[in-house]
Amino acid sequence: MSEQMLSRIRMNGKVPGRDAGIEVRKTICAICNPFSHCGIDAYVKDGAVVRVEGSKGHPHSQGTLCSKGSASRQYIYHKDRIHSPLVRRGKRGAGEFEAVSWEEALNTIAEKLLKIKEETGPESVAFFAGYTKWMRPFLKRLAHSFGSPNYCTESSTCYQATAMAAKLNYGYYGPPDVLNAKCLLVWSNNPFHSNTSTVRRLLDARERGLKIIEVGPLNTPLSGHADFHLRIRPGTSGALALGMAHVIIEEGLYDRDFVENWTQGFEEYRNYVSQFTPQVTQEITGVPADAMIGAARLYSSTKPAAMMNSASPTVHHTNGLQNHRALIALVGLTGNFDVEGGNHVAPPTWLYVPAGLPARELEFEQSRPWKEMAPRIGQDRFPVWCKLVEEAQAMHIPFQIRSGKPYPIRALLGFGMRYGMWPGSDFMLDSLRKLDFLVNVDLFMTDTARLSDVVLPACSSFERSELKFWPERYVMWTQPVIEPLWQSRSDVDIIYDLGRRIAPDDELMQKGYEASIDWILEPSGLTVAELKKHPAGFFPKEAKMPPFRKYRKNGFPTPSGKMEFSSTILKSAGLDPLPAYREPQLGPRSTPEVAEKFPLVLTTGARLPMYQHSRTFRLGWTRSLRPDASVDIHPKDAASRGISTGDWVSLSTPRGSLKVRANLTDIVPPGVANIYHAWPEADVNLLIEPDYLDPISGFPGFKSLLCEVSKDEG
Ligand SMILES: Nc1nc2c(c(=O)[nH]1)N[C@H]1C(S)=C(S)[C@@H](COP(=O)(O)OP(=O)(O)OC[C@H]3O[C@@H](n4cnc5c(=O)[nH]c(N)nc54)[C@H](O)[C@@H]3O)O[C@H]1N2
Ligand SMILES: Nc1nc2c(c(=O)[nH]1)N[C@H]1C(S)=C(S)[C@@H](COP(=O)(O)OP(=O)(O)OC[C@H]3O[C@@H](n4cnc5c(=O)[nH]c(N)nc54)[C@H](O)[C@@H]3O)O[C@H]1N2
Ligand SMILES: [Mo]
């Protein structure tokens, strides 16, 4: 073949090299959760990404990309990207905007926020970050340096309730040490859909003989690999955990030494769980007693055993916090807390990821002590949240906007804010309309952005620099592989430019983003200059995991210094100190009168591999994998209602109904309906009351309420 022909093939075939003008640059996919974020090789030609591939040899993602990451080009070049800063000119929500310069947009925001601060105090301005994590510490610092305690995030529905449960029981907690475990209790987590880059290691461990117990109502790709799959009725995790504790205690399978020396309230707990006999537990949870007993024996007698949890499905219930306390209590009860092959406590280095290095994220974020600021949104209603979580409880935002009590909320500065995230999303939407001033920063022109007074275009992970740690103790300072598209900018640049205008006294912020990262990383010995020398990332030599059983030296960071079966903090708040089981507020046992008309249990938001909340519906590739909003129901329930697959059906709750298609599947057990949570045409959060919340954590009961599915005759 001639050189000329070869050269043409290279050009057309996207082969990197000088001939083709294509360079391969390293970046990350940041569409999904911070524990994944796969390494990407971006093929760049003439300043545009022409192809993406998983970075081969990346220690976390090992060259893989899921359906979402593979569609990265459709994501970054999508027609819905916002091109320039916009200021509203027409009626709110009418979508009439004028494109303005960054200078004008930022000045408009600063003037308005400073005016509100002067009139009703800095607390009247709330700062909110949606699912995206990377800009959070900077946004929180901006809020506090401005003087507002009201920094809050999507974590008011995600993760933080599990962290609260862990703090109440143990003071701290750790992820499962899958590599060294002999038994893994996967309590409501579907990594095949929600955390794909971890699955290979899980399957390898299974091949080495790892025993697996899965708890969760839905069949998942893990179910076929599990020794036991306990298919609970949604919302009954707590009862199952108490039933398992009963078996473990009765049969003497608990860790006596740990319980005697390191726990508080065991006798009360033992006494309480004695009512959860296998028969009672079966009646509540629907799990056959034999399977529950078998799983309890397997988990407690295989050493070491680890528990894998998730950020949301056990706490998306009106009884979620106590449920989660009950299930993680099994870790201590069986002596698997902070041991090799169990749940190993390792403090996060940066953005939730433990990478074996110390850093100063918390000191950085909290630039002003709480006592120098007003009480947070939700502080009266969810005092235990405010004691344990360093944020405001965002579920209370719409209520405080409406009541103006204890002080008015007049402006909201949102980064990736989406009102569809809230239960009673129409209630949140109406509340946002009542604000004096709403700003949203997003990549795309979303419904929430359309409602705003000022809209700012953020850029994607391909167009910015961010600090990224992976649990494999790997770190990368990403560098833009292309220039920010149109006039978009990195969230962090926006935050620092606002900082200059609304928080001029914050000296560190005035020094800029990279100086702030250097400050945060100081205890680790890393600097941005050093990180920049490794564009593909590296393993810092200093990174090391902490020792096991740290409590033996320092006690537990709880009020009693012990693991608390009976919580001192809950007791002093006048709440039940034991991980007491209560039925979900709406359920066949708690509200049989409602169940007459709405006999199915509704669980929402089980993760689908191609969708990430609202993010990937607009992409042709991902959308083609599941084009229609659909509700999963069991063939038996469908048959008794005359429903076939693909039929249009009404999904109704006492609050309203949606028209969706029926998907007949035994992924759901009989009696349960399941629907994904962010369909653009069928928002299930319209069907859930805005105050359908766990009274302790404030988390919404997204995953246990009542519904009916009926054939749509219209
Ligand atoms: N592809 C994709 N990945 C994601 C996300 C996404 O939107 N798309 N979202 C990310 C986020 S923010 C989160 S929080 C995680 C969630 O990640 P996961 O927790 O893994 O996701 P889910 O599918 O919600 O829940 C896992 C399992 O919990 C069980 N479950 C469902 N309802 C209940 C219930 O009522 N009680 C109990 N005990 N178990 C129940 C089901 O059996 C289900 O298979 O995923 C993250 N990863
Ligand atoms: N019914 C029901 N509701 C749920 C759930 C459920 O299971 N059921 N799950 C809950 C959970 S666990 C979660 S985590 C939440 C998630 O809910 P959201 O936080 O709303 O999640 P997303 O839709 O992923 O992201 C919100 C916005 O962020 C924008 N965005 C993406 N990247 C960036 C960026 O880099 N910068 C900026 N500025 N914006 C960006 C996206 O375009 C999107 O418009 O939903 C909750 N709501
Ligand atoms: Mo989440």
Side-chain angles (χ1 to χ4, degrees), residues 178 182-186 192 202-207 209-215 222-230 295 298 306 308:
V178 177
K182 296 221 164 60
C183 173
L184 185 68
L185 172 48
V186 181
F192 289 78
L202 183 57
L203 292 178
D204 287 347
R206 175 68 177 168
E207 276 165 28
L210 179 75
K211 301 282 184 205
I212 296 180
I213 303 164
E214 182 184 13
V215 177
L222 183 70
S223 310
H225 301 279
D227 298 279
F228 288 97
H229 180 193
L230 309 182
L298 181 64
M308 183 185 269

PDB file of all heavy atoms in Angstrom, residues 178 182-186 192 202-207 209-215 222-230 295 298 306 308:
ATOM      1  N   VAL A 178     -13.906  -6.216  49.812  1.00  0.00           N
ATOM      2  CA  VAL A 178     -14.357  -7.361  49.005  1.00  0.00           C
ATOM      3  C   VAL A 178     -13.212  -8.331  48.711  1.00  0.00           C
ATOM      4  O   VAL A 178     -13.383  -9.551  48.715  1.00  0.00           O
ATOM      5  CB  VAL A 178     -14.998  -6.871  47.683  1.00  0.00           C
ATOM      6  CG1 VAL A 178     -15.396  -8.037  46.793  1.00  0.00           C
ATOM      7  CG2 VAL A 178     -16.221  -5.999  47.969  1.00  0.00           C
ATOM      8  N   LYS A 182     -14.804 -13.319  52.881  1.00  0.00           N
ATOM      9  CA  LYS A 182     -15.207 -14.676  52.465  1.00  0.00           C
ATOM     10  C   LYS A 182     -16.711 -14.732  52.222  1.00  0.00           C
ATOM     11  O   LYS A 182     -17.216 -15.660  51.603  1.00  0.00           O
ATOM     12  CB  LYS A 182     -14.819 -15.682  53.559  1.00  0.00           C
ATOM     13  CG  LYS A 182     -13.305 -15.776  53.765  1.00  0.00           C
ATOM     14  CD  LYS A 182     -12.889 -17.224  53.958  1.00  0.00           C
ATOM     15  CE  LYS A 182     -11.406 -17.438  53.788  1.00  0.00           C
ATOM     16  NZ  LYS A 182     -10.598 -16.648  54.740  1.00  0.00           N
ATOM     17  N   CYS A 183     -17.398 -13.750  52.792  1.00  0.00           N
ATOM     18  CA  CYS A 183     -18.853 -13.673  52.571  1.00  0.00           C
ATOM     19  C   CYS A 183     -19.190 -12.200  52.375  1.00  0.00           C
ATOM     20  O   CYS A 183     -18.626 -11.338  53.058  1.00  0.00           O
ATOM     21  CB  CYS A 183     -19.576 -14.233  53.792  1.00  0.00           C
ATOM     22  SG  CYS A 183     -21.366 -14.020  53.734  1.00  0.00           S
ATOM     23  N   LEU A 184     -20.065 -11.924  51.427  1.00  0.00           N
ATOM     24  CA  LEU A 184     -20.462 -10.534  51.168  1.00  0.00           C
ATOM     25  C   LEU A 184     -21.973 -10.438  51.254  1.00  0.00           C
ATOM     26  O   LEU A 184     -22.691 -11.130  50.525  1.00  0.00           O
ATOM     27  CB  LEU A 184     -19.974 -10.112  49.776  1.00  0.00           C
ATOM     28  CG  LEU A 184     -20.208  -8.644  49.413  1.00  0.00           C
ATOM     29  CD1 LEU A 184     -19.343  -7.720  50.279  1.00  0.00           C
ATOM     30  CD2 LEU A 184     -19.896  -8.406  47.931  1.00  0.00           C
ATOM     31  N   LEU A 185     -22.415  -9.584  52.164  1.00  0.00           N
ATOM     32  CA  LEU A 185     -23.852  -9.334  52.297  1.00  0.00           C
ATOM     33  C   LEU A 185     -24.150  -8.046  51.536  1.00  0.00           C
ATOM     34  O   LEU A 185     -23.771  -6.957  51.966  1.00  0.00           O
ATOM     35  CB  LEU A 185     -24.195  -9.219  53.787  1.00  0.00           C
ATOM     36  CG  LEU A 185     -25.595  -8.782  54.207  1.00  0.00           C
ATOM     37  CD1 LEU A 185     -26.684  -9.534  53.463  1.00  0.00           C
ATOM     38  CD2 LEU A 185     -25.779  -8.985  55.706  1.00  0.00           C
ATOM     39  N   VAL A 186     -24.752  -8.174  50.367  1.00  0.00           N
ATOM     40  CA  VAL A 186     -25.034  -7.004  49.521  1.00  0.00           C
ATOM     41  C   VAL A 186     -26.446  -6.538  49.874  1.00  0.00           C
ATOM     42  O   VAL A 186     -27.433  -7.126  49.449  1.00  0.00           O
ATOM     43  CB  VAL A 186     -24.947  -7.367  48.019  1.00  0.00           C
ATOM     44  CG1 VAL A 186     -25.228  -6.150  47.159  1.00  0.00           C
ATOM     45  CG2 VAL A 186     -23.577  -7.952  47.704  1.00  0.00           C
ATOM     46  N   PHE A 192     -24.075  -3.707  39.124  1.00  0.00           N
ATOM     47  CA  PHE A 192     -24.099  -3.975  37.681  1.00  0.00           C
ATOM     48  C   PHE A 192     -24.725  -2.808  36.923  1.00  0.00           C
ATOM     49  O   PHE A 192     -24.404  -2.569  35.765  1.00  0.00           O
ATOM     50  CB  PHE A 192     -24.880  -5.258  37.377  1.00  0.00           C
ATOM     51  CG  PHE A 192     -24.172  -6.509  37.813  1.00  0.00           C
ATOM     52  CD1 PHE A 192     -24.167  -6.895  39.148  1.00  0.00           C
ATOM     53  CD2 PHE A 192     -23.490  -7.284  36.888  1.00  0.00           C
ATOM     54  CE1 PHE A 192     -23.506  -8.043  39.545  1.00  0.00           C
ATOM     55  CE2 PHE A 192     -22.827  -8.437  37.292  1.00  0.00           C
ATOM     56  CZ  PHE A 192     -22.839  -8.820  38.623  1.00  0.00           C
ATOM     57  N   LEU A 202     -15.830  -7.942  41.714  1.00  0.00           N
ATOM     58  CA  LEU A 202     -16.826  -8.704  42.479  1.00  0.00           C
ATOM     59  C   LEU A 202     -16.980 -10.110  41.890  1.00  0.00           C
ATOM     60  O   LEU A 202     -17.007 -11.110  42.610  1.00  0.00           O
ATOM     61  CB  LEU A 202     -18.154  -7.934  42.439  1.00  0.00           C
ATOM     62  CG  LEU A 202     -19.332  -8.470  43.219  1.00  0.00           C
ATOM     63  CD1 LEU A 202     -18.981  -8.632  44.684  1.00  0.00           C
ATOM     64  CD2 LEU A 202     -20.531  -7.528  43.090  1.00  0.00           C
ATOM     65  N   LEU A 203     -17.051 -10.181  40.566  1.00  0.00           N
ATOM     66  CA  LEU A 203     -17.208 -11.497  39.928  1.00  0.00           C
ATOM     67  C   LEU A 203     -15.948 -12.345  40.105  1.00  0.00           C
ATOM     68  O   LEU A 203     -16.041 -13.561  40.300  1.00  0.00           O
ATOM     69  CB  LEU A 203     -17.547 -11.329  38.447  1.00  0.00           C
ATOM     70  CG  LEU A 203     -18.935 -10.717  38.171  1.00  0.00           C
ATOM     71  CD1 LEU A 203     -19.157 -10.554  36.681  1.00  0.00           C
ATOM     72  CD2 LEU A 203     -20.057 -11.556  38.783  1.00  0.00           C
ATOM     73  N   ASP A 204     -14.780 -11.697  40.059  1.00  0.00           N
ATOM     74  CA  ASP A 204     -13.532 -12.442  40.297  1.00  0.00           C
ATOM     75  C   ASP A 204     -13.550 -13.043  41.698  1.00  0.00           C
ATOM     76  O   ASP A 204     -13.153 -14.199  41.905  1.00  0.00           O
ATOM     77  CB  ASP A 204     -12.302 -11.524  40.168  1.00  0.00           C
ATOM     78  CG  ASP A 204     -12.018 -11.158  38.718  1.00  0.00           C
ATOM     79  OD1 ASP A 204     -12.603 -11.788  37.815  1.00  0.00           O
ATOM     80  OD2 ASP A 204     -11.230 -10.208  38.496  1.00  0.00           O
ATOM     81  N   ALA A 205     -14.005 -12.245  42.660  1.00  0.00           N
ATOM     82  CA  ALA A 205     -14.050 -12.740  44.045  1.00  0.00           C
ATOM     83  C   ALA A 205     -15.032 -13.906  44.156  1.00  0.00           C
ATOM     84  O   ALA A 205     -14.769 -14.890  44.859  1.00  0.00           O
ATOM     85  CB  ALA A 205     -14.444 -11.607  44.994  1.00  0.00           C
ATOM     86  N   ARG A 206     -16.131 -13.819  43.454  1.00  0.00           N
ATOM     87  CA  ARG A 206     -17.105 -14.918  43.464  1.00  0.00           C
ATOM     88  C   ARG A 206     -16.454 -16.197  42.932  1.00  0.00           C
ATOM     89  O   ARG A 206     -16.631 -17.280  43.471  1.00  0.00           O
ATOM     90  CB  ARG A 206     -18.317 -14.529  42.612  1.00  0.00           C
ATOM     91  CG  ARG A 206     -19.352 -15.627  42.429  1.00  0.00           C
ATOM     92  CD  ARG A 206     -20.062 -15.947  43.739  1.00  0.00           C
ATOM     93  NE  ARG A 206     -21.100 -16.949  43.582  1.00  0.00           N
ATOM     94  CZ  ARG A 206     -21.706 -17.558  44.595  1.00  0.00           C
ATOM     95  NH1 ARG A 206     -21.388 -17.266  45.836  1.00  0.00           N
ATOM     96  NH2 ARG A 206     -22.626 -18.455  44.386  1.00  0.00           N
ATOM     97  N   GLU A 207     -15.681 -16.012  41.853  1.00  0.00           N
ATOM     98  CA  GLU A 207     -15.012 -17.190  41.291  1.00  0.00           C
ATOM     99  C   GLU A 207     -14.011 -17.790  42.267  1.00  0.00           C
ATOM    100  O   GLU A 207     -13.762 -18.988  42.253  1.00  0.00           O
ATOM    101  CB  GLU A 207     -14.332 -16.833  39.953  1.00  0.00           C
ATOM    102  CG  GLU A 207     -15.336 -16.923  38.813  1.00  0.00           C
ATOM    103  CD  GLU A 207     -14.864 -16.251  37.532  1.00  0.00           C
ATOM    104  OE1 GLU A 207     -13.638 -16.175  37.318  1.00  0.00           O
ATOM    105  OE2 GLU A 207     -15.740 -15.789  36.773  1.00  0.00           O
ATOM    106  N   GLY A 209     -14.606 -18.068  45.308  1.00  0.00           N
ATOM    107  CA  GLY A 209     -15.367 -18.752  46.360  1.00  0.00           C
ATOM    108  C   GLY A 209     -16.109 -17.845  47.321  1.00  0.00           C
ATOM    109  O   GLY A 209     -16.624 -18.320  48.338  1.00  0.00           O
ATOM    110  N   LEU A 210     -16.149 -16.551  47.040  1.00  0.00           N
ATOM    111  CA  LEU A 210     -16.885 -15.630  47.913  1.00  0.00           C
ATOM    112  C   LEU A 210     -18.358 -16.037  47.995  1.00  0.00           C
ATOM    113  O   LEU A 210     -19.000 -16.266  46.974  1.00  0.00           O
ATOM    114  CB  LEU A 210     -16.792 -14.208  47.326  1.00  0.00           C
ATOM    115  CG  LEU A 210     -17.522 -13.097  48.071  1.00  0.00           C
ATOM    116  CD1 LEU A 210     -16.770 -12.718  49.346  1.00  0.00           C
ATOM    117  CD2 LEU A 210     -17.685 -11.863  47.184  1.00  0.00           C
ATOM    118  N   LYS A 211     -18.876 -16.134  49.217  1.00  0.00           N
ATOM    119  CA  LYS A 211     -20.317 -16.370  49.402  1.00  0.00           C
ATOM    120  C   LYS A 211     -21.042 -15.043  49.247  1.00  0.00           C
ATOM    121  O   LYS A 211     -20.549 -14.009  49.731  1.00  0.00           O
ATOM    122  CB  LYS A 211     -20.599 -16.915  50.806  1.00  0.00           C
ATOM    123  CG  LYS A 211     -19.895 -18.208  51.103  1.00  0.00           C
ATOM    124  CD  LYS A 211     -20.626 -19.352  50.447  1.00  0.00           C
ATOM    125  CE  LYS A 211     -19.986 -20.679  50.807  1.00  0.00           C
ATOM    126  NZ  LYS A 211     -20.233 -21.708  49.807  1.00  0.00           N
ATOM    127  N   ILE A 212     -22.178 -15.059  48.623  1.00  0.00           N
ATOM    128  CA  ILE A 212     -22.904 -13.811  48.414  1.00  0.00           C
ATOM    129  C   ILE A 212     -24.348 -13.938  48.892  1.00  0.00           C
ATOM    130  O   ILE A 212     -25.046 -14.898  48.556  1.00  0.00           O
ATOM    131  CB  ILE A 212     -22.877 -13.389  46.923  1.00  0.00           C
ATOM    132  CG1 ILE A 212     -21.429 -13.090  46.489  1.00  0.00           C
ATOM    133  CG2 ILE A 212     -23.764 -12.166  46.675  1.00  0.00           C
ATOM    134  CD1 ILE A 212     -21.281 -12.670  45.032  1.00  0.00           C
ATOM    135  N   ILE A 213     -24.754 -12.966  49.694  1.00  0.00           N
ATOM    136  CA  ILE A 213     -26.160 -12.856  50.101  1.00  0.00           C
ATOM    137  C   ILE A 213     -26.651 -11.526  49.538  1.00  0.00           C
ATOM    138  O   ILE A 213     -26.000 -10.498  49.738  1.00  0.00           O
ATOM    139  CB  ILE A 213     -26.303 -12.822  51.636  1.00  0.00           C
ATOM    140  CG1 ILE A 213     -25.673 -14.075  52.261  1.00  0.00           C
ATOM    141  CG2 ILE A 213     -27.773 -12.673  52.033  1.00  0.00           C
ATOM    142  CD1 ILE A 213     -25.430 -13.944  53.758  1.00  0.00           C
ATOM    143  N   GLU A 214     -27.771 -11.542  48.848  1.00  0.00           N
ATOM    144  CA  GLU A 214     -28.327 -10.299  48.320  1.00  0.00           C
ATOM    145  C   GLU A 214     -29.650 -10.007  49.018  1.00  0.00           C
ATOM    146  O   GLU A 214     -30.474 -10.910  49.188  1.00  0.00           O
ATOM    147  CB  GLU A 214     -28.562 -10.429  46.805  1.00  0.00           C
ATOM    148  CG  GLU A 214     -29.092  -9.141  46.183  1.00  0.00           C
ATOM    149  CD  GLU A 214     -29.421  -9.261  44.692  1.00  0.00           C
ATOM    150  OE1 GLU A 214     -29.488 -10.387  44.154  1.00  0.00           O
ATOM    151  OE2 GLU A 214     -29.635  -8.199  44.071  1.00  0.00           O
ATOM    152  N   VAL A 215     -29.820  -8.755  49.427  1.00  0.00           N
ATOM    153  CA  VAL A 215     -31.101  -8.335  50.001  1.00  0.00           C
ATOM    154  C   VAL A 215     -31.671  -7.254  49.100  1.00  0.00           C
ATOM    155  O   VAL A 215     -30.974  -6.298  48.752  1.00  0.00           O
ATOM    156  CB  VAL A 215     -30.927  -7.744  51.421  1.00  0.00           C
ATOM    157  CG1 VAL A 215     -32.278  -7.249  51.952  1.00  0.00           C
ATOM    158  CG2 VAL A 215     -30.335  -8.769  52.361  1.00  0.00           C
ATOM    159  N   LEU A 222     -26.936  -9.582  39.835  1.00  0.00           N
ATOM    160  CA  LEU A 222     -26.214 -10.276  40.899  1.00  0.00           C
ATOM    161  C   LEU A 222     -26.992 -11.499  41.394  1.00  0.00           C
ATOM    162  O   LEU A 222     -26.393 -12.462  41.883  1.00  0.00           O
ATOM    163  CB  LEU A 222     -25.994  -9.313  42.081  1.00  0.00           C
ATOM    164  CG  LEU A 222     -25.176  -9.849  43.263  1.00  0.00           C
ATOM    165  CD1 LEU A 222     -23.706 -10.020  42.849  1.00  0.00           C
ATOM    166  CD2 LEU A 222     -25.281  -8.919  44.468  1.00  0.00           C
ATOM    167  N   SER A 223     -28.308 -11.453  41.262  1.00  0.00           N
ATOM    168  CA  SER A 223     -29.137 -12.496  41.895  1.00  0.00           C
ATOM    169  C   SER A 223     -28.712 -13.898  41.471  1.00  0.00           C
ATOM    170  O   SER A 223     -28.688 -14.822  42.291  1.00  0.00           O
ATOM    171  CB  SER A 223     -30.620 -12.270  41.586  1.00  0.00           C
ATOM    172  OG  SER A 223     -30.989 -10.939  41.863  1.00  0.00           O
ATOM    173  N   GLY A 224     -28.351 -14.049  40.201  1.00  0.00           N
ATOM    174  CA  GLY A 224     -27.938 -15.358  39.706  1.00  0.00           C
ATOM    175  C   GLY A 224     -26.642 -15.850  40.331  1.00  0.00           C
ATOM    176  O   GLY A 224     -26.330 -17.042  40.260  1.00  0.00           O
ATOM    177  N   HIS A 225     -25.865 -14.951  40.921  1.00  0.00           N
ATOM    178  CA  HIS A 225     -24.588 -15.337  41.539  1.00  0.00           C
ATOM    179  C   HIS A 225     -24.723 -15.490  43.052  1.00  0.00           C
ATOM    180  O   HIS A 225     -23.740 -15.779  43.726  1.00  0.00           O
ATOM    181  CB  HIS A 225     -23.515 -14.273  41.280  1.00  0.00           C
ATOM    182  CG  HIS A 225     -23.257 -14.023  39.824  1.00  0.00           C
ATOM    183  ND1 HIS A 225     -22.443 -14.827  39.070  1.00  0.00           N
ATOM    184  CD2 HIS A 225     -23.716 -13.074  38.994  1.00  0.00           C
ATOM    185  CE1 HIS A 225     -22.413 -14.370  37.827  1.00  0.00           C
ATOM    186  NE2 HIS A 225     -23.171 -13.307  37.750  1.00  0.00           N
ATOM    187  N   ALA A 226     -25.922 -15.213  43.600  1.00  0.00           N
ATOM    188  CA  ALA A 226     -26.041 -15.150  45.061  1.00  0.00           C
ATOM    189  C   ALA A 226     -26.430 -16.506  45.650  1.00  0.00           C
ATOM    190  O   ALA A 226     -27.196 -17.255  45.055  1.00  0.00           O
ATOM    191  CB  ALA A 226     -27.078 -14.092  45.440  1.00  0.00           C
ATOM    192  N   ASP A 227     -25.874 -16.804  46.843  1.00  0.00           N
ATOM    193  CA  ASP A 227     -26.272 -18.014  47.561  1.00  0.00           C
ATOM    194  C   ASP A 227     -27.671 -17.854  48.148  1.00  0.00           C
ATOM    195  O   ASP A 227     -28.427 -18.806  48.241  1.00  0.00           O
ATOM    196  CB  ASP A 227     -25.261 -18.301  48.687  1.00  0.00           C
ATOM    197  CG  ASP A 227     -23.877 -18.559  48.123  1.00  0.00           C
ATOM    198  OD1 ASP A 227     -23.633 -19.687  47.680  1.00  0.00           O
ATOM    199  OD2 ASP A 227     -23.059 -17.614  48.068  1.00  0.00           O
ATOM    200  N   PHE A 228     -27.968 -16.638  48.587  1.00  0.00           N
ATOM    201  CA  PHE A 228     -29.322 -16.315  49.055  1.00  0.00           C
ATOM    202  C   PHE A 228     -29.734 -14.988  48.441  1.00  0.00           C
ATOM    203  O   PHE A 228     -28.916 -14.060  48.398  1.00  0.00           O
ATOM    204  CB  PHE A 228     -29.368 -16.124  50.581  1.00  0.00           C
ATOM    205  CG  PHE A 228     -29.224 -17.385  51.363  1.00  0.00           C
ATOM    206  CD1 PHE A 228     -27.981 -17.758  51.864  1.00  0.00           C
ATOM    207  CD2 PHE A 228     -30.330 -18.194  51.619  1.00  0.00           C
ATOM    208  CE1 PHE A 228     -27.837 -18.918  52.609  1.00  0.00           C
ATOM    209  CE2 PHE A 228     -30.189 -19.354  52.363  1.00  0.00           C
ATOM    210  CZ  PHE A 228     -28.950 -19.727  52.856  1.00  0.00           C
ATOM    211  N   HIS A 229     -30.959 -14.885  48.007  1.00  0.00           N
ATOM    212  CA  HIS A 229     -31.509 -13.579  47.635  1.00  0.00           C
ATOM    213  C   HIS A 229     -32.779 -13.381  48.454  1.00  0.00           C
ATOM    214  O   HIS A 229     -33.761 -14.094  48.260  1.00  0.00           O
ATOM    215  CB  HIS A 229     -31.808 -13.519  46.128  1.00  0.00           C
ATOM    216  CG  HIS A 229     -32.373 -12.187  45.707  1.00  0.00           C
ATOM    217  ND1 HIS A 229     -32.963 -11.976  44.489  1.00  0.00           N
ATOM    218  CD2 HIS A 229     -32.442 -10.991  46.353  1.00  0.00           C
ATOM    219  CE1 HIS A 229     -33.379 -10.714  44.404  1.00  0.00           C
ATOM    220  NE2 HIS A 229     -33.072 -10.104  45.522  1.00  0.00           N
ATOM    221  N   LEU A 230     -32.727 -12.455  49.385  1.00  0.00           N
ATOM    222  CA  LEU A 230     -33.873 -12.214  50.271  1.00  0.00           C
ATOM    223  C   LEU A 230     -34.693 -11.074  49.667  1.00  0.00           C
ATOM    224  O   LEU A 230     -34.302  -9.901  49.724  1.00  0.00           O
ATOM    225  CB  LEU A 230     -33.393 -11.862  51.680  1.00  0.00           C
ATOM    226  CG  LEU A 230     -32.365 -12.834  52.293  1.00  0.00           C
ATOM    227  CD1 LEU A 230     -32.009 -12.403  53.714  1.00  0.00           C
ATOM    228  CD2 LEU A 230     -32.861 -14.278  52.286  1.00  0.00           C
ATOM    229  N   ALA A 295     -29.472 -17.257  55.740  1.00  0.00           N
ATOM    230  CA  ALA A 295     -28.607 -16.112  55.431  1.00  0.00           C
ATOM    231  C   ALA A 295     -27.971 -15.561  56.699  1.00  0.00           C
ATOM    232  O   ALA A 295     -26.786 -15.203  56.707  1.00  0.00           O
ATOM    233  CB  ALA A 295     -29.421 -15.030  54.721  1.00  0.00           C
ATOM    234  N   LEU A 298     -25.168 -17.866  57.623  1.00  0.00           N
ATOM    235  CA  LEU A 298     -24.035 -17.770  56.694  1.00  0.00           C
ATOM    236  C   LEU A 298     -23.219 -16.501  56.962  1.00  0.00           C
ATOM    237  O   LEU A 298     -21.990 -16.538  57.071  1.00  0.00           O
ATOM    238  CB  LEU A 298     -24.544 -17.781  55.241  1.00  0.00           C
ATOM    239  CG  LEU A 298     -23.469 -17.721  54.153  1.00  0.00           C
ATOM    240  CD1 LEU A 298     -22.578 -18.966  54.198  1.00  0.00           C
ATOM    241  CD2 LEU A 298     -24.104 -17.595  52.762  1.00  0.00           C
ATOM    242  N   ALA A 306     -18.185  -9.178  54.890  1.00  0.00           N
ATOM    243  CA  ALA A 306     -18.330  -7.734  54.671  1.00  0.00           C
ATOM    244  C   ALA A 306     -19.759  -7.421  54.250  1.00  0.00           C
ATOM    245  O   ALA A 306     -20.455  -8.285  53.716  1.00  0.00           O
ATOM    246  CB  ALA A 306     -17.351  -7.280  53.589  1.00  0.00           C
ATOM    247  N   MET A 308     -22.024  -4.815  51.901  1.00  0.00           N
ATOM    248  CA  MET A 308     -21.990  -3.778  50.872  1.00  0.00           C
ATOM    249  C   MET A 308     -23.317  -3.042  50.910  1.00  0.00           C
ATOM    250  O   MET A 308     -24.372  -3.652  50.833  1.00  0.00           O
ATOM    251  CB  MET A 308     -21.780  -4.423  49.494  1.00  0.00           C
ATOM    252  CG  MET A 308     -21.647  -3.430  48.368  1.00  0.00           C
ATOM    253  SD  MET A 308     -21.546  -4.287  46.766  1.00  0.00           S
ATOM    254  CE  MET A 308     -19.805  -4.479  46.609  1.00  0.00           C
TER     255      MET A 308
END
